[in-house]
Amino acid sequence: MVLDVAIIGSGFGGLGAAIRLQQVDVTNIAIFERARDLGGTWRDNTYPGCRCDVGSYLYSFSFAPNPAWTNTYSFQPEIWQYLRDVADRYSISDLIHYEHDVTDVAFDESRQLWRLTTSNGEYLAKCVVLATGALAEPRLPDITGIGDFTGTLMHTAQWDSTVELAGQRVGVIGTGASAIQTVPQIAPLVASLEVFQRTPSWILPHLGHPVLDRSKKFFATLPLAQRAVRVWGYWRRELMVLGFVKDPRRMTKAETLSREHLERQIKDEALRERFTPNYRLGCKRVLISNDFYPAFRRDNVTLVTEPIATIEKKGVRTADGVLHELDVLIAATGFFVTDNPMGDKVHGVHGQALGDASHGKLPHYLGTAFPDFPNLFTLAGPNTGLGHSSIIFMLESQLNYVTRAINVALESDALVEPKEDAAQRWTNSLQEKLPTTVWGTGCASWYLNEAGHNTVIWPDFTFKYRQATRRFDSSDHRVVVKTTSSSD
Ligand code: N01
């Protein structure tokens, strides 16, 4: 049977796509998921302390509010449970083909369909929604000798809870979002903890707190009140665009806040110095934490800022020649983002790899559709990521466009793709804006591709993206009615 839509991935994007498509009566859908459960990055990241740094009321589907959040900034288990509940509530669970790792997506010219090769067989589909996420492929650091380490090596996104940390000598590489959450959690358990920092992060105070039972009841009886909190949180975050995008000098105030936070929490001036970033706040992802710096007040926790030279059998050797002997080495080193391997598994009509869009070699339209990739759409695609707000808002915006485009394709049995000049115009308009934003102020970050171009972040107010994705502009698209019947 030919599917109307094949969705790849069952995180926020994939589930959202299935729900929204069903709402417009597209029901011949399958979701392909490589794992045994749904949830994407919120299923995979089980490291101690994993938590969302966007508020709970905003970091959820607008159509599925959850009055029962127990904290204003949710922890991973609750977000994962939320996704499972949403899948049940919208009867999505039965659409998911688990343990179907998609290894190749290619356009079958003769049948004018997409052919998906999975670890569990081949499938044909009229349309494809790639919802594989930007933070799906853990990146181990490319450090000489990493394979020689004889202790336990694990990435934060592949946490093995059976590894005994109590009483062990543990090292953590990285001081990004994952590290700052897990370091305070594991510090009290371990014999010693050495944190290898290459670049300090800007860290602001965390404002999260438990939600009172009476507030939960209030939100359950008065959904509009929860909606108001969401809207308030949304607009407060939108104001940050004034600094991130319009004038990065406005970040000075937040930098002062962050420095004061550091001063309050770390009294040792030399240590404070080593924690102080030398780039503009916002250039790398801004972090929030109240317990990361205090972890370094413990006798068993050390900050190592000497660069890592090699990893050896017994531990990490730094450039000063010191061998830091370890039992467990934790890589909190992030993900393959602009070089996500999924990009090399999807090929368009003329064989071009979809990953070329992140390398600036393929123009994209709304970060979602691509010339020569008819009826194929990506969620969280190029330049739709955010540094200041909820990615769910962007996904829902993309889904407005995707559901309309898929409707056009299915109703007319057509191939729909953006015109080359429309895609080029869109891509150029973003790349022209980016150099003067905070991400162009000079720092290394996972927002930049190998050429130093930001192909990850949306450089404007998110409501502008919502406007751009609100309707299907037929003058920007080629809609070609198929010459072959693709229904069986
Ligand atoms: O990864 P990162 P992450 N040698 O890439 C260091 C999301 N997230 O997993 O800055 C030494 O941010 C690297 O150093 P440097 C969120 O979007 C969200 O922490 O490159 N160090 C850096 O310190 C986040 O941004 C939540 O110099 C090396 C760290 O490793 C994204 O996931 C929670 C190195 C990597 O930091 C990724 O966060 C957690 C090397 N060879 C994560 N290679 C939420 O709350 C890398 N590093 C929503």
Side-chain angles (χ1 to χ4, degrees), residues 316-357:
V316 170
R317 191 175 294 279
T318 41
D320 53 4
V322 174
L323 176 65
H324 303 258
E325 291 198 23
L326 301 168
D327 304 308
V328 180
L329 181 56
I330 297 167
T333 45
F335 301 86
F336 290 99
V337 181
T338 57
D339 44 4
N340 188 326
M342 193 64 206
D344 295 329
K345 297 177 187 165
V346 184
H347 293 92
V349 175
H350 300 296
Q352 188 166 13
L354 190 70
D356 281 353

Side-chain angles (χ1 to χ4, degrees), residues 25 56-57 60 62 64 92 120 161 223 225 265 364 422 425 427 439-440:
D25 295 328
S56 315
Y57 300 111
S60 40
S62 62
I92 299 301
N120 242 319
S161 56
Q265 296 202 313
H364 58 92
R425 228 178 18 248
T427 308
W439 307 289

Side-chain angles (χ1 to χ4, degrees), residues 57 67-70 211-221:
Y57 300 111
W69 291 122
T70 61
V211 179
L212 297 172
D213 284 342
R214 66 166 184 269
S215 305
K216 288 183 225 162
K217 277 191 201 134
F218 179 63
F219 289 145
T221 39

Side-chain angles (χ1 to χ4, degrees), residues 10-151:
S10 66
F12 266 102
L15 296 180
I19 293 167
R20 292 289 301 278
L21 284 166
Q22 288 197 331
Q23 285 169 347
V24 292
D25 295 328
V26 178
T27 52
N28 177 17
I29 301 172
I31 302 178
F32 297 96
E33 168 55 60
R34 63 183 173 183
R36 288 189 188 158
D37 206 338
L38 59 83
T41 200
W42 293 109
R43 171 202 60 223
D44 293 343
N45 283 267
T46 58
Y47 61 82
C50 182
R51 187 179 190 184
C52 186
D53 55 13
V54 177
S56 315
Y57 300 111
L58 188 56
Y59 198 87
S60 40
F61 287 120
S62 62
F63 53 80
N66 174 19
W69 291 122
T70 61
N71 200 291
T72 54
Y73 285 76
S74 300
F75 287 88
Q76 172 268 340
E78 212 170 336
I79 302 176
W80 188 20
Q81 188 54 47
Y82 167 79
L83 286 172
R84 287 185 288 200
D85 291 345
V86 167
D88 285 344
R89 202 184 326 164
Y90 288 88
S91 310
I92 299 301
S93 308
D94 291 345
L95 302 177
I96 306 177
H97 293 40
Y98 290 109
E99 297 187 81
H100 278 63
D101 187 8
V102 176
T103 53
D104 190 66
V105 181
F107 191 69
D108 183 330
E109 194 80 67
S110 61
R111 302 191 66 180
Q112 299 184 303
L113 294 170
W114 287 95
R115 183 180 297 278
L116 280 75
T117 310
T118 80
S119 52
N120 242 319
E122 277 197 355
Y123 296 83
L124 289 171
K126 294 179 187 173
C127 305
V128 174
V129 177
L130 267 177
T132 47
L135 306 174
E137 299 291 342
R139 179 197 288 275
L140 280 175
D142 188 13
I143 299 173
T144 312
I146 189 162
D148 299 339
F149 182 58
T150 51

Side-chain angles (χ1 to χ4, degrees), residues 42 47 51-53 135 141-143 156 173-179 181 198-199 284-285 308 332-335 446:
W42 293 109
Y47 61 82
R51 187 179 190 184
C52 186
D53 55 13
L135 306 174
D142 188 13
I143 299 173
T156 41
I173 302 180
T175 49
S178 305
Q181 292 180 336
R198 186 164 66 179
T199 315
K284 282 161 135 24
R285 192 178 173 94
I308 297 174
T333 45
F335 301 86
W446 56 264

Side-chain angles (χ1 to χ4, degrees), residues 215-274:
S215 305
K216 288 183 225 162
K217 277 191 201 134
F218 179 63
F219 289 145
T221 39
L222 220 107
L224 265 181
Q226 186 174 344
R227 176 96 197 141
V229 174
R230 179 183 172 97
V231 171
W232 164 246
Y234 170 79
W235 284 106
R236 258 190 28 219
R237 285 179 177 271
E238 279 307 271
L239 283 180
M240 296 185 206
V241 174
L242 297 173
F244 276 92
V245 175
K246 307 293 175 193
D247 184 0
R249 285 171 305 181
R250 288 176 199 248
M251 289 306 196
T252 317
K253 203 167 157 200
E255 287 171 3
T256 308
L257 263 177
S258 174
R259 280 202 199 90
E260 287 169 357
H261 185 50
L262 174 59
E263 272 166 35
R264 270 194 306 274
Q265 296 202 313
I266 299 282
K267 298 297 168 205
D268 176 340
E269 209 173 310
L271 182 57
R272 224 159 48 208
E273 188 64 29
R274 294 158 75 207

